[in-house]
Amino acid sequence: MKQIVRLRVNGDVYEIAVAPRQTLLDTLRKGLGLTGTKKGCDKGNCGACTVLIDGKPVNSCLTLAIEAQDKEILTIEGMADGEQLHPIQSAFIEYGAIQCGFCTPGMILSAKALLDENPHPADHEIRKALEGNLCRCTGYKQIVEAIVAVARQKAGAK
Amino acid sequence: MLLPEFTYLSPGTLPEACSLLAQYGNEAAVLAGGTDLLVKMKERQLTPHYLIGLKNIDNLDFIKLDDNKRISIGAMTTLNTIAVSPIIRRKLTFLALTADNMANQQIRNMGTIGGNLCNAAPSADTAPPLIASGANAVLTSPHKTRTIALEEFFTAPGQTVRKADEVLGEIQIPVPPALWGGVYFKLSQRSKADIAAVGVAAAVTLSAEGKCTGCRIVLGAVAPTPLRAKRAEQFLLDKVITNDLIAETSHLAAEDARPISDVRSSAEYRQEMVAVLTRRALAGALEEARQHKDTSK
Protein backbone atom coordinates (compact mmCIF):
# COMPACT_ATOMS: atom_id res chain seq x y z
CA MET A 1 0.00 0.00 0.00
CA LYS A 2 1.75 3.17 -1.17
CA GLN A 3 1.77 6.33 0.90
CA ILE A 4 2.77 9.87 0.03
CA VAL A 5 6.05 10.92 1.61
CA ARG A 6 7.69 14.32 1.69
CA LEU A 7 11.35 14.20 0.83
CA ARG A 8 13.63 17.22 1.14
CA VAL A 9 16.43 16.67 -1.33
CA ASN A 10 19.09 19.28 -2.07
CA GLY A 11 16.86 21.99 -0.71
CA ASP A 12 13.84 21.02 -2.80
CA VAL A 13 10.72 19.40 -1.40
CA TYR A 14 9.23 16.45 -3.27
CA GLU A 15 6.00 14.63 -2.56
CA ILE A 16 5.97 11.13 -3.94
CA ALA A 17 4.01 7.93 -3.44
CA VAL A 18 6.20 5.10 -2.21
CA ALA A 19 5.64 1.58 -0.94
CA PRO A 20 7.10 0.83 2.49
CA ARG A 21 9.62 -1.50 0.92
CA GLN A 22 11.10 1.13 -1.39
CA THR A 23 14.57 2.23 -0.37
CA LEU A 24 15.66 5.84 -0.48
CA LEU A 25 18.15 4.81 -3.16
CA ASP A 26 15.49 3.47 -5.52
CA THR A 27 13.23 6.41 -4.76
CA LEU A 28 15.96 8.94 -5.58
CA ARG A 29 16.94 7.21 -8.79
CA LYS A 30 13.63 5.98 -10.16
CA GLY A 31 11.08 8.08 -8.34
CA LEU A 32 12.84 11.44 -8.54
CA GLY A 33 15.10 10.83 -11.52
CA LEU A 34 18.20 11.77 -9.49
CA THR A 35 20.51 9.12 -10.86
CA GLY A 36 23.73 10.63 -9.51
CA THR A 37 23.49 8.33 -6.50
CA LYS A 38 24.65 4.91 -7.66
CA LYS A 39 23.54 1.38 -6.86
CA GLY A 40 26.56 -0.86 -6.32
CA CYS A 41 26.16 -3.77 -3.95
CA ASP A 42 22.72 -2.64 -2.72
CA LYS A 43 23.47 -4.02 0.74
CA GLY A 44 25.60 -1.56 2.61
CA ASN A 45 29.09 -2.78 1.68
CA CYS A 46 30.33 -0.51 -1.09
CA GLY A 47 29.08 2.99 -0.32
CA ALA A 48 28.21 3.88 -3.93
CA CYS A 49 24.75 4.79 -2.65
CA THR A 50 26.06 7.20 0.00
CA VAL A 51 23.97 10.30 0.60
CA LEU A 52 24.04 12.76 3.49
CA ILE A 53 21.03 12.78 5.79
CA ASP A 54 21.09 15.73 8.18
CA GLY A 55 24.78 16.08 7.33
CA LYS A 56 25.70 12.45 8.08
CA PRO A 57 26.78 9.92 5.46
CA VAL A 58 24.48 6.90 5.26
CA ASN A 59 23.81 4.06 2.83
CA SER A 60 20.63 4.96 1.00
CA CYS A 61 20.25 1.32 -0.10
CA LEU A 62 19.50 0.41 3.51
CA THR A 63 17.30 3.42 4.23
CA LEU A 64 13.55 3.11 3.76
CA ALA A 65 12.20 6.10 1.87
CA ILE A 66 9.39 6.44 4.39
CA GLU A 67 11.93 6.77 7.19
CA ALA A 68 13.77 9.57 5.36
CA GLN A 69 10.76 11.84 5.45
CA ASP A 70 11.32 15.45 6.54
CA LYS A 71 15.08 15.07 6.87
CA GLU A 72 17.63 17.11 4.93
CA ILE A 73 18.99 14.87 2.22
CA LEU A 74 22.02 15.87 0.17
CA THR A 75 22.92 13.98 -3.00
CA ILE A 76 25.71 14.62 -5.50
CA GLU A 77 23.29 16.70 -7.54
CA GLY A 78 23.21 19.16 -4.66
CA MET A 79 26.95 19.77 -4.49
CA ALA A 80 27.40 22.17 -7.37
CA ASP A 81 25.95 25.65 -7.15
CA GLY A 82 24.34 25.98 -10.56
CA GLU A 83 27.24 25.80 -13.00
CA GLN A 84 29.81 26.36 -10.25
CA LEU A 85 31.36 23.08 -9.09
CA HIS A 86 31.94 22.52 -5.39
CA PRO A 87 35.66 22.74 -4.48
CA ILE A 88 35.65 19.00 -3.69
CA GLN A 89 34.31 18.24 -7.16
CA SER A 90 36.96 20.49 -8.78
CA ALA A 91 39.73 18.92 -6.75
CA PHE A 92 38.62 15.41 -7.70
CA ILE A 93 38.88 16.37 -11.36
CA GLU A 94 42.22 18.17 -10.93
CA TYR A 95 43.87 15.36 -8.97
CA GLY A 96 42.71 12.49 -11.19
CA ALA A 97 40.51 11.09 -8.44
CA ILE A 98 37.89 10.02 -10.99
CA GLN A 99 38.38 7.09 -13.36
CA CYS A 100 35.17 5.22 -14.08
CA GLY A 101 33.31 7.64 -11.82
CA PHE A 102 31.02 5.09 -10.21
CA CYS A 103 32.30 5.52 -6.65
CA THR A 104 32.69 9.27 -7.11
CA PRO A 105 29.32 10.62 -5.95
CA GLY A 106 29.53 8.62 -2.72
CA MET A 107 33.19 9.54 -2.21
CA ILE A 108 32.52 13.23 -2.66
CA LEU A 109 29.65 13.20 -0.18
CA SER A 110 31.68 11.29 2.41
CA ALA A 111 34.48 13.80 1.85
CA LYS A 112 32.12 16.71 2.32
CA ALA A 113 30.79 15.28 5.58
CA LEU A 114 34.35 14.78 6.81
CA LEU A 115 35.54 18.28 5.94
CA ASP A 116 32.44 19.88 7.39
CA GLU A 117 33.22 18.28 10.72
CA ASN A 118 37.02 18.15 10.57
CA PRO A 119 38.41 20.88 8.26
CA HIS A 120 42.03 19.74 8.60
CA PRO A 121 41.97 15.97 8.69
CA ALA A 122 45.13 13.92 8.93
CA ASP A 123 45.72 11.30 6.24
CA HIS A 124 44.55 8.46 8.45
CA GLU A 125 41.40 10.38 9.35
CA ILE A 126 40.59 10.82 5.67
CA ARG A 127 41.10 7.14 4.98
CA LYS A 128 38.96 6.18 7.95
CA ALA A 129 36.19 8.48 6.78
CA LEU A 130 36.30 6.78 3.37
CA GLU A 131 36.36 3.21 4.65
CA GLY A 132 32.75 2.79 3.60
CA ASN A 133 33.36 3.92 0.01
CA LEU A 134 35.04 1.32 -2.16
CA CYS A 135 36.90 2.25 -5.34
CA ARG A 136 38.08 -0.37 -7.80
CA CYS A 137 39.90 1.98 -10.13
CA THR A 138 42.10 4.55 -8.45
CA GLY A 139 43.74 2.83 -5.50
CA TYR A 140 42.47 5.75 -3.39
CA LYS A 141 45.71 7.76 -3.54
CA GLN A 142 44.39 10.51 -5.82
CA ILE A 143 41.15 10.65 -3.86
CA VAL A 144 43.00 11.29 -0.61
CA GLU A 145 45.25 13.86 -2.32
CA ALA A 146 42.23 15.71 -3.67
CA ILE A 147 40.70 15.92 -0.21
CA VAL A 148 43.98 17.10 1.32
CA ALA A 149 44.13 19.78 -1.36
CA VAL A 150 40.64 21.03 -0.54
CA ALA A 151 41.50 21.19 3.14
CA ARG A 152 44.65 23.20 2.32
CA GLN A 153 42.71 25.54 0.07
CA LYS A 154 40.28 26.29 2.84
CA ALA A 155 43.13 26.81 5.29
CA GLY A 156 44.95 29.05 2.84
CA ALA A 157 41.84 31.07 2.22
CA LYS A 158 41.70 32.16 5.86
CA MET B 1 17.44 -6.33 -4.74
CA LEU B 2 13.90 -5.42 -3.88
CA LEU B 3 12.92 -5.85 -0.29
CA PRO B 4 10.02 -8.26 0.19
CA GLU B 5 6.64 -6.67 0.83
CA PHE B 6 5.74 -5.70 4.36
CA THR B 7 3.48 -3.41 6.34
CA TYR B 8 5.39 -0.67 8.16
CA LEU B 9 4.21 0.24 11.64
CA SER B 10 5.54 3.25 13.49
CA PRO B 11 4.63 3.22 17.20
CA GLY B 12 5.14 6.41 19.16
CA THR B 13 5.95 4.78 22.49
CA LEU B 14 7.72 1.70 23.79
CA PRO B 15 4.54 0.14 25.27
CA GLU B 16 2.86 0.62 21.90
CA ALA B 17 5.75 -1.14 20.18
CA CYS B 18 5.46 -4.02 22.62
CA SER B 19 1.69 -4.31 22.02
CA LEU B 20 2.28 -4.50 18.29
CA LEU B 21 4.88 -7.19 18.80
CA ALA B 22 2.49 -9.09 21.03
CA GLN B 23 -0.21 -8.73 18.39
CA TYR B 24 1.82 -9.85 15.39
CA GLY B 25 4.22 -12.27 17.07
CA ASN B 26 6.41 -14.15 14.61
CA GLU B 27 5.07 -12.23 11.66
CA ALA B 28 6.77 -9.05 12.89
CA ALA B 29 10.35 -7.86 13.21
CA VAL B 30 11.73 -4.81 14.97
CA LEU B 31 13.48 -2.27 12.74
CA ALA B 32 16.20 -0.25 14.43
CA GLY B 33 18.96 1.02 12.12
CA GLY B 34 18.27 -1.52 9.41
CA THR B 35 21.90 -2.38 8.71
CA ASP B 36 21.40 -6.04 9.61
CA LEU B 37 17.66 -6.60 9.22
CA LEU B 38 17.24 -5.00 5.79
CA VAL B 39 20.24 -6.91 4.43
CA LYS B 40 18.75 -10.19 5.67
CA MET B 41 15.42 -9.26 4.14
CA LYS B 42 17.03 -8.43 0.79
CA GLU B 43 18.66 -11.84 0.85
CA ARG B 44 15.31 -13.39 1.85
CA GLN B 45 16.83 -14.86 5.01
CA LEU B 46 14.02 -13.11 6.86
CA THR B 47 10.64 -12.10 5.46
CA PRO B 48 8.57 -10.52 8.22
CA HIS B 49 5.14 -9.30 7.13
CA TYR B 50 5.27 -6.42 9.59
CA LEU B 51 8.15 -4.12 10.41
CA ILE B 52 7.88 -2.25 13.67
CA GLY B 53 10.06 0.80 13.28
CA LEU B 54 11.42 2.33 16.47
CA LYS B 55 12.64 5.62 15.01
CA ASN B 56 9.60 7.65 16.05
CA ILE B 57 9.79 6.68 19.70
CA ASP B 58 11.17 9.51 21.77
CA ASN B 59 13.87 8.83 24.33
CA LEU B 60 15.33 5.60 23.02
CA ASP B 61 18.33 7.53 21.74
CA PHE B 62 20.29 8.78 24.73
CA ILE B 63 23.42 8.42 26.83
CA LYS B 64 23.04 9.34 30.48
CA LEU B 65 25.26 9.33 33.51
CA ASP B 66 23.15 8.76 36.61
CA ASP B 67 24.63 10.06 39.82
CA ASN B 68 28.10 9.05 38.62
CA LYS B 69 27.16 5.46 39.43
CA ARG B 70 25.49 4.19 36.31
CA ILE B 71 25.67 4.84 32.58
CA SER B 72 22.49 4.26 30.57
CA ILE B 73 22.48 3.96 26.80
CA GLY B 74 19.21 3.92 24.90
CA ALA B 75 18.84 1.01 22.48
CA MET B 76 18.40 3.30 19.46
CA THR B 77 21.67 5.15 20.10
CA THR B 78 23.83 4.87 17.00
CA LEU B 79 27.37 3.54 17.06
CA ASN B 80 28.75 6.95 16.09
CA THR B 81 26.88 8.66 18.89
CA ILE B 82 28.52 6.22 21.29
CA ALA B 83 31.92 6.70 19.64
CA VAL B 84 31.93 10.47 20.13
CA SER B 85 30.06 10.65 23.45
CA PRO B 86 32.09 12.50 26.10
CA ILE B 87 30.54 10.29 28.81
CA ILE B 88 31.53 7.04 27.10
CA ARG B 89 34.96 8.34 26.10
CA ARG B 90 35.72 9.29 29.66
CA LYS B 91 34.13 6.48 31.62
CA LEU B 92 34.15 3.52 29.21
CA THR B 93 36.84 4.45 26.75
CA PHE B 94 37.08 0.99 25.22
CA LEU B 95 33.39 0.99 24.34
CA ALA B 96 33.79 4.28 22.46
CA LEU B 97 36.84 2.91 20.65
CA THR B 98 35.02 -0.32 19.81
CA ALA B 99 32.03 1.53 18.39
CA ASP B 100 34.33 3.85 16.45
CA ASN B 101 36.05 0.89 14.81
CA MET B 102 33.01 -1.02 13.66
CA ALA B 103 32.21 -1.35 9.94
CA ASN B 104 32.42 2.17 8.44
CA GLN B 105 31.10 5.70 8.84
CA GLN B 106 27.82 5.09 7.02
CA ILE B 107 26.96 1.96 9.00
CA ARG B 108 27.99 3.65 12.25
CA ASN B 109 25.58 6.51 11.50
CA MET B 110 22.72 4.07 11.03
CA GLY B 111 23.46 1.02 13.17
CA THR B 112 22.33 1.03 16.77
CA ILE B 113 23.64 -0.62 19.90
CA GLY B 114 20.27 -2.29 20.50
CA GLY B 115 20.26 -3.65 16.98
CA ASN B 116 23.80 -4.96 17.28
CA LEU B 117 22.91 -6.82 20.48
CA CYS B 118 19.51 -8.15 19.36
CA ASN B 119 20.93 -9.30 16.03
CA ALA B 120 23.12 -11.42 18.31
CA ALA B 121 25.85 -12.40 15.92
CA PRO B 122 28.47 -14.41 17.84
CA SER B 123 30.93 -11.77 16.64
CA ALA B 124 28.93 -8.69 17.69
CA ASP B 125 31.63 -6.20 18.64
CA THR B 126 29.68 -4.30 21.29
CA ALA B 127 29.00 -7.45 23.31
CA PRO B 128 32.44 -8.33 24.73
CA PRO B 129 33.21 -4.81 26.03
CA LEU B 130 29.72 -4.47 27.49
CA ILE B 131 29.83 -7.86 29.19
CA ALA B 132 33.33 -7.11 30.47
CA SER B 133 31.89 -3.93 32.01
CA GLY B 134 29.10 -5.80 33.77
CA ALA B 135 26.33 -4.39 31.60
CA ASN B 136 22.65 -5.16 32.02
CA ALA B 137 19.91 -5.24 29.38
CA VAL B 138 16.49 -3.73 30.11
CA LEU B 139 13.67 -5.54 28.31
CA THR B 140 10.21 -4.00 28.16
CA SER B 141 7.01 -5.94 27.44
CA PRO B 142 3.41 -4.67 27.45
CA HIS B 143 3.01 -5.27 31.16
CA LYS B 144 6.41 -5.19 32.72
CA THR B 145 10.08 -4.43 32.50
CA ARG B 146 12.89 -6.78 33.43
CA THR B 147 16.61 -6.31 33.74
CA ILE B 148 19.03 -9.11 33.00
CA ALA B 149 22.79 -9.37 32.92
CA LEU B 150 23.99 -8.99 29.35
CA GLU B 151 26.15 -12.09 29.69
CA GLU B 152 22.90 -14.02 29.99
CA PHE B 153 21.23 -12.28 27.06
CA PHE B 154 22.62 -14.44 24.24
CA THR B 155 21.53 -18.07 23.81
CA ALA B 156 22.67 -19.10 20.31
CA PRO B 157 23.80 -17.46 17.06
CA GLY B 158 21.13 -14.88 16.30
CA GLN B 159 19.09 -15.85 19.36
CA THR B 160 18.55 -14.05 22.63
CA VAL B 161 16.32 -14.37 25.69
CA ARG B 162 14.18 -11.54 24.36
CA LYS B 163 10.60 -12.79 24.20
CA ALA B 164 8.41 -12.17 21.17
CA ASP B 165 6.60 -9.25 22.83
CA GLU B 166 9.66 -7.63 24.37
CA VAL B 167 11.74 -4.72 23.15
CA LEU B 168 15.28 -4.05 24.32
CA GLY B 169 14.99 -0.45 25.54
CA GLU B 170 18.30 0.32 27.15
CA ILE B 171 21.66 -0.94 28.33
CA GLN B 172 22.86 -0.04 31.80
CA ILE B 173 26.50 -0.17 32.82
CA PRO B 174 27.88 0.47 36.31
CA VAL B 175 30.48 3.23 36.30
CA PRO B 176 33.81 1.43 36.71
CA PRO B 177 35.79 2.04 39.89
CA ALA B 178 38.91 4.17 39.94
CA LEU B 179 41.60 1.53 39.47
CA TRP B 180 39.99 -0.15 36.50
CA GLY B 181 40.96 -0.67 32.90
CA GLY B 182 39.23 -2.22 29.90
CA VAL B 183 40.46 -3.07 26.40
CA TYR B 184 38.88 -4.79 23.39
CA PHE B 185 40.89 -6.17 20.49
CA LYS B 186 39.57 -7.80 17.36
CA LEU B 187 41.02 -9.38 14.26
CA SER B 188 39.22 -9.26 10.97
CA GLN B 189 40.10 -9.57 7.32
CA ARG B 190 40.05 -5.95 6.23
CA SER B 191 41.55 -3.93 9.09
CA LYS B 192 38.55 -3.34 11.31
CA ALA B 193 35.95 -2.78 8.66
CA ASP B 194 34.98 -6.42 8.55
CA ILE B 195 33.07 -8.50 11.02
CA ALA B 196 35.32 -9.84 13.78
CA ALA B 197 36.94 -13.21 13.19
CA VAL B 198 38.16 -13.17 16.79
CA GLY B 199 37.50 -10.63 19.55
CA VAL B 200 38.63 -10.42 23.16
CA ALA B 201 37.65 -7.88 25.80
CA ALA B 202 39.48 -7.77 29.12
CA ALA B 203 38.70 -5.64 32.15
CA VAL B 204 40.61 -5.66 35.43
CA THR B 205 40.06 -3.94 38.74
CA LEU B 206 43.02 -3.40 41.04
CA SER B 207 43.22 -2.82 44.77
CA ALA B 208 45.35 0.04 46.08
CA GLU B 209 48.17 -2.48 46.62
CA GLY B 210 48.00 -3.55 42.97
CA LYS B 211 46.25 -6.89 43.45
CA CYS B 212 43.62 -7.96 40.93
CA THR B 213 40.28 -7.74 42.69
CA GLY B 214 38.13 -8.10 39.60
CA CYS B 215 38.68 -9.62 36.22
CA ARG B 216 36.49 -10.21 33.19
CA ILE B 217 37.70 -11.79 29.99
CA VAL B 218 35.05 -12.00 27.26
CA LEU B 219 35.58 -13.83 23.98
CA GLY B 220 33.72 -12.94 20.80
CA ALA B 221 33.32 -14.84 17.53
CA VAL B 222 34.79 -18.06 18.91
CA ALA B 223 31.67 -19.69 20.30
CA PRO B 224 27.93 -19.67 19.50
CA THR B 225 27.60 -16.63 21.77
CA PRO B 226 29.95 -14.11 23.40
CA LEU B 227 31.61 -16.09 26.15
CA ARG B 228 33.25 -15.28 29.48
CA ALA B 229 36.47 -17.20 30.01
CA LYS B 230 35.73 -17.81 33.67
CA ARG B 231 38.60 -20.14 34.52
CA ALA B 232 41.02 -17.59 33.16
CA GLU B 233 39.28 -14.85 35.16
CA GLN B 234 39.45 -16.90 38.37
CA PHE B 235 43.11 -17.59 37.80
CA LEU B 236 44.03 -13.91 37.98
CA LEU B 237 41.89 -13.00 40.97
CA ASP B 238 43.64 -11.98 44.18
CA LYS B 239 47.03 -12.04 42.49
CA VAL B 240 49.38 -9.26 41.58
CA ILE B 241 49.34 -9.41 37.80
CA THR B 242 52.66 -10.18 36.12
CA ASN B 243 53.52 -10.87 32.49
CA ASP B 244 53.95 -14.56 33.26
CA LEU B 245 50.53 -14.71 34.86
CA ILE B 246 49.04 -12.89 31.87
CA ALA B 247 50.61 -15.45 29.55
CA GLU B 248 49.21 -18.34 31.58
CA THR B 249 45.80 -16.69 31.78
CA SER B 250 45.69 -16.20 28.04
CA HIS B 251 46.23 -19.92 27.47
CA LEU B 252 43.39 -20.70 29.86
CA ALA B 253 41.17 -18.32 27.94
CA ALA B 254 42.06 -20.00 24.65
CA GLU B 255 41.01 -23.34 26.11
CA ASP B 256 37.50 -21.98 26.68
CA ALA B 257 37.10 -20.94 23.07
CA ARG B 258 34.96 -23.19 20.84
CA PRO B 259 35.60 -21.68 17.42
CA ILE B 260 34.48 -22.96 14.06
CA SER B 261 36.21 -22.74 10.71
CA ASP B 262 34.44 -20.52 8.20
CA VAL B 263 35.17 -18.04 5.41
CA ARG B 264 36.77 -15.62 7.84
CA SER B 265 39.19 -17.90 9.61
CA SER B 266 40.04 -21.45 10.65
CA ALA B 267 39.19 -22.81 14.09
CA GLU B 268 42.88 -23.43 14.81
CA TYR B 269 43.88 -19.87 14.00
CA ARG B 270 41.01 -18.47 16.04
CA GLN B 271 41.95 -20.57 19.02
CA GLU B 272 45.53 -19.41 18.88
CA MET B 273 44.54 -15.79 18.41
CA VAL B 274 42.34 -15.89 21.52
CA ALA B 275 45.53 -16.41 23.52
CA VAL B 276 47.33 -13.60 21.67
CA LEU B 277 44.48 -11.10 21.99
CA THR B 278 43.85 -12.01 25.63
CA ARG B 279 47.48 -11.36 26.42
CA ARG B 280 47.37 -7.98 24.68
CA ALA B 281 44.01 -7.02 26.15
CA LEU B 282 45.03 -7.92 29.70
CA ALA B 283 48.27 -5.99 29.36
CA GLY B 284 46.36 -2.99 28.05
CA ALA B 285 43.70 -3.18 30.75
CA LEU B 286 46.33 -3.47 33.44
CA GLU B 287 48.16 -0.45 32.05
CA GLU B 288 44.98 1.60 32.06
CA ALA B 289 44.08 0.54 35.60
CA ARG B 290 47.52 1.44 36.86
CA GLN B 291 47.24 4.94 35.52
CA HIS B 292 45.05 5.56 38.56
CA LYS B 293 42.47 7.21 36.40
CA ASP B 294 39.97 8.61 38.80
CA THR B 295 36.83 8.14 36.77
CA SER B 296 34.73 9.55 39.55
CA LYS B 297 35.33 12.99 38.07
Side-chain angles (χ1 to χ4, degrees):
Chain A
M1 181 71 195
K2 289 198 178 190
Q3 64 183 82
I4 310 276
V5 293
R6 195 173 41 248
L7 294 175
R8 311 168 68 90
V9 186
N10 304 328
D12 297 320
V13 179
Y14 300 84
E15 288 198 341
I16 181 169
V18 297
R21 67 168 170 163
Q22 273 171 251
T23 62
L24 179 61
L25 176 62
D26 283 338
T27 306
L28 288 169
R29 291 180 54 81
K30 296 191 204 158
L32 303 184
L34 295 171
T35 55
T37 309
K38 304 305 179 194
K39 177 178 288 195
C41 71
D42 208 16
K43 45 187 199 165
N45 282 330
C46 75
C49 70
T50 302
V51 298
L52 302 190
I53 294 187
D54 293 337
K56 295 183 185 163
V58 297
N59 295 123
S60 61
C61 69
L62 295 181
T63 304
L64 298 180
I66 54 182
E67 286 194 335
Q69 192 158 209
D70 291 326
K71 304 199 193 252
E72 295 297 331
I73 300 168
L74 182 68
T75 71
I76 189 67
E77 287 92 345
M79 287 295 288
D81 181 8
E83 292 295 305
Q84 176 77 26
L85 289 180
H86 189 280
I88 299 175
Q89 291 174 300
S90 306
F92 265 55
I93 295 169
E94 194 186 326
Y95 282 78
I98 307 170
Q99 290 188 27
C100 81
F102 205 75
C103 77
T104 305
M107 280 289 182
I108 287 178
L109 288 165
S110 287
K112 178 186 195 310
L114 169 70
L115 291 173
D116 283 349
E117 196 197 301
N118 181 358
H120 307 291
D123 245 47
H124 73 269
E125 290 174 315
I126 296 175
R127 287 175 183 277
K128 186 175 156 92
L130 300 182
E131 262 179 348
N133 293 90
L134 302 184
C135 174
R136 296 290 282 131
C137 297
T138 65
Y140 303 96
K141 184 165 180 284
Q142 301 92 312
I143 293 171
V144 174
E145 285 170 357
I147 294 168
V148 168
V150 176
R152 283 216 189 102
Q153 272 168 37
K154 280 193 187 170
K158 288 198 183 112
Chain B
M1 282 166 275
L2 263 185
L3 284 163
E5 286 203 21
F6 57 85
T7 301
Y8 178 81
L9 303 164
S10 188
T13 66
L14 203 46
E16 209 187 314
C18 298
S19 300
L20 289 170
L21 271 176
Q23 185 180 350
Y24 292 109
N26 287 335
E27 289 191 276
V30 174
L31 176 64
T35 55
D36 280 315
L37 178 62
L38 295 184
V39 175
K40 288 181 176 176
M41 286 173 68
K42 286 189 180 203
E43 293 173 342
R44 300 300 189 272
Q45 255 185 71
L46 290 172
T47 51
H49 294 145
Y50 300 90
L51 281 197
I52 299 169
L54 300 183
K55 291 207 172 85
N56 282 333
I57 300 180
D58 273 334
N59 65 34
L60 280 184
D61 177 359
F62 63 84
I63 300 176
K64 284 193 283 216
L65 178 59
D66 298 322
D67 208 13
N68 209 28
K69 294 208 171 70
R70 187 170 79 185
I71 298 163
S72 306
I73 307 177
M76 286 296 281
T77 309
T78 66
L79 299 173
N80 256 346
T81 302
I82 291 169
V84 304
S85 154
I87 294 173
I88 306 293
R89 283 179 145 177
R90 231 176 35 247
K91 306 283 189 185
L92 284 173
T93 313
F94 74 149
L95 181 63
L97 290 172
T98 299
D100 198 34
N101 282 321
M102 285 170 71
N104 56 56
Q105 202 69 253
Q106 292 88 325
I107 298 292
R108 291 194 291 273
N109 281 329
M110 306 161 75
T112 65
I113 189 166
N116 189 235
L117 294 172
C118 291
N119 185 59
S123 53
D125 283 316
T126 60
L130 284 170
I131 294 172
S133 306
N136 291 319
V138 180
L139 292 160
T140 302
S141 64
H143 302 297
K144 67 183 178 91
T145 295
R146 62 180 177 130
T147 302
I148 68 157
L150 192 65
E151 65 185 278
E152 261 131 52
F153 185 65
F154 306 98
T155 58
Q159 312 283 337
T160 67
V161 298
R162 184 183 70 84
K163 300 206 188 79
D165 65 348
E166 282 181 319
V167 175
L168 174 66
E170 80 182 64
I171 306 296
Q172 294 171 346
I173 310 123
V175 171
L179 300 180
W180 177 95
V183 172
Y184 175 67
F185 282 128
K186 74 186 254 197
L187 291 178
S188 49
Q189 289 184 315
R190 286 179 302 162
S191 75
K192 299 158 203 98
D194 271 345
I195 191 172
V198 192
V200 176
V204 298
T205 311
L206 300 178
S207 68
E209 302 78 40
K211 251 202 227 173
C212 174
T213 56
C215 177
R216 286 201 174 204
I217 299 168
V218 189
L219 315 181
V222 291
T225 67
L227 186 66
R228 274 179 68 182
K230 288 191 174 166
R231 281 185 314 137
E233 293 174 355
Q234 285 298 315
F235 182 73
L236 268 187
L237 272 182
D238 289 330
K239 299 189 171 86
V240 175
I241 305 177
T242 63
N243 284 338
D244 285 341
L245 284 179
I246 288 179
E248 222 174 313
T249 309
S250 63
H251 288 301
L252 285 172
E255 283 170 22
D256 279 347
R258 307 192 303 267
I260 58 170
S261 294
D262 66 11
V263 290
R264 277 175 275 281
S265 193
S266 70
E268 293 79 11
Y269 184 72
R270 283 173 150 133
Q271 191 112 36
E272 194 157 331
M273 288 306 109
V274 167
V276 172
L277 294 185
T278 302
R279 205 162 60 234
R280 292 181 189 173
L282 280 172
L286 181 63
E287 171 76 30
E288 191 185 323
R290 279 181 182 157
Q291 275 164 19
H292 297 277
K293 265 210 306 255
D294 187 3
T295 57
S296 64
K297 298 215 178 74

